Amino acid sequence: MNINEYLPFWNKLSSKEKQLIQNNCSEKKYLSKSLINENEKCNGFIIIKSGKLRVYTISDSGKEITLFKLFNYDMCLFSSSCIFKDITFDIMLETEEDTTVFVIPAHIYENLMKTSLSVSNYTNELMSSRFSDIMWLLDQILNKNMISRISLFLHEEYMYHNMVDLSITHEEIAKHLGTAREVISRLLNYMQKDGIIKTKRGIISIVDKEKLKNLCDEK
């Protein structure tokens, strides 16, 4: 297990702290579309070894909205929300593809935050970064129209997969963006008529990448 390669503060830890992590860290594998924390609200600090995680929350009305995504080498603090007493909202973690993660037990990481200034500083920086992601999302919701948000979502998926044919449903996009499937279907139909995309069951194909990119910036 090469957990040391995934922790930016590793070289600043004492030998005892390194040994503590190595003795308690575990490696877990999840299939695509698995809920990591469905039955456990504080299952430890998660570091993505390979794969992709969707971090989302659910409104009182049952609508999902993606807060941000995590990729290789990213760390998820919200998987150990029990350490951060001020976090009172539920965060869900779902794999978007087959994913392997390292898990450091919450109590081990909490002790490291107390004994290592490097771990504490890194954690604070990471927490600040994640809340910046959420504030960016809030800005998108308040200041961007839905077709712009759909375009940005599709463009990001295209950049990640490096494919113009995206295997995703209208319902899945609606969950990511926190809206109704009917809204997504109507706007995708408009984009198809405009020659930007082409849709068929379970597949959205990007036809005009330049037009799609331009739509991302519209208010």
Side-chain angles (χ1 to χ4, degrees):
M1 188 183 300
N2 54 345
I3 181 65
N4 56 303
E5 297 179 13
Y6 293 80
L7 298 175
F9 49 76
W10 180 263
N11 291 332
K12 297 180 180 178
L13 297 175
S14 68
S15 298
K16 183 178 179 180
E17 290 166 338
K18 290 177 181 178
Q19 196 63 48
L20 183 66
I21 292 175
Q22 289 176 327
N23 290 344
N24 291 278
C25 181
S26 60
E27 184 176 313
K28 296 184 179 181
K29 296 183 178 181
Y30 297 91
L31 296 176
S32 179
K33 302 303 179 184
S34 297
L35 278 177
I36 288 184
N37 61 336
E38 183 176 17
N39 300 313
E40 178 58 66
K41 297 301 182 183
C42 198
N43 53 358
F45 278 84
I46 289 176
I47 304 101
I48 315 300
K49 183 178 182 182
S50 63
K52 184 180 179 185
L53 273 183
R54 172 189 175 224
V55 182
Y56 68 98
T57 190
I58 305 174
S59 71
D60 291 339
S61 63
K63 285 185 179 179
E64 298 179 12
I65 186 167
T66 299
L67 302 176
F68 51 85
K69 296 182 181 181
L70 298 173
F71 307 92
N72 295 6
Y73 288 85
D74 282 339
M75 178 183 281
C76 185
L77 297 174
F78 292 119
S79 56
S80 274
S81 57
C82 56
I83 293 177
F84 306 100
K85 308 304 180 185
D86 292 332
I87 297 177
T88 57
F89 51 94
D90 288 335
I91 298 293
M92 307 301 292
L93 310 176
E94 180 185 47
T95 59
E96 291 206 316
E97 57 192 44
D98 292 353
T99 299
T100 301
V101 302
F102 293 115
V103 181
I104 302 174
H107 70 281
I108 297 295
Y109 197 89
E110 186 175 20
N111 287 337
L112 287 169
M113 287 175 59
K114 294 175 181 177
T115 61
S116 171
L117 182 60
S118 297
V119 175
S120 179
N121 288 341
Y122 175 77
T123 304
N124 289 334
E125 290 172 5
L126 190 56
M127 184 65 76
S128 176
S129 175
R130 294 298 174 234
F131 276 111
S132 292
D133 292 337
I134 295 173
M135 292 306 296
W136 177 87
L137 172 64
L138 182 59
D139 178 69
Q140 293 289 304
I141 294 171
L142 294 175
N143 298 312
K144 294 280 189 177
N145 60 43
M146 185 54 70
I147 200 165
S148 175
R149 294 179 61 208
I150 294 173
S151 301
L152 181 59
F153 173 82
L154 293 177
H155 187 264
E156 288 177 344
E157 289 295 296
Y158 157 69
M159 295 295 289
Y160 177 76
H161 295 287
N162 196 26
M163 295 173 59
V164 295
D165 296 322
L166 304 174
S167 179
I168 192 165
T169 66
H170 297 194
E171 179 67 28
E172 288 172 325
I173 297 175
K175 287 182 177 180
H176 279 290
L177 301 182
T179 189
R181 182 190 59 78
E182 293 76 13
V183 173
I184 298 299
S185 297
R186 175 170 53 83
L187 293 176
L188 287 176
N189 186 52
Y190 164 79
M191 293 170 70
Q192 181 168 245
K193 288 179 179 178
D194 205 31
I196 300 170
I197 61 168
K198 181 182 288 187
T199 66
K200 60 181 179 181
R201 189 173 185 85
I203 300 289
I204 297 176
S205 300
I206 299 173
V207 177
D208 193 324
K209 289 178 282 189
E210 192 62 32
K211 278 188 177 181
L212 182 72
K213 194 172 185 302
N214 289 338
L215 275 179
C216 295
D217 299 323
E218 286 192 0
K219 296 290 186 182

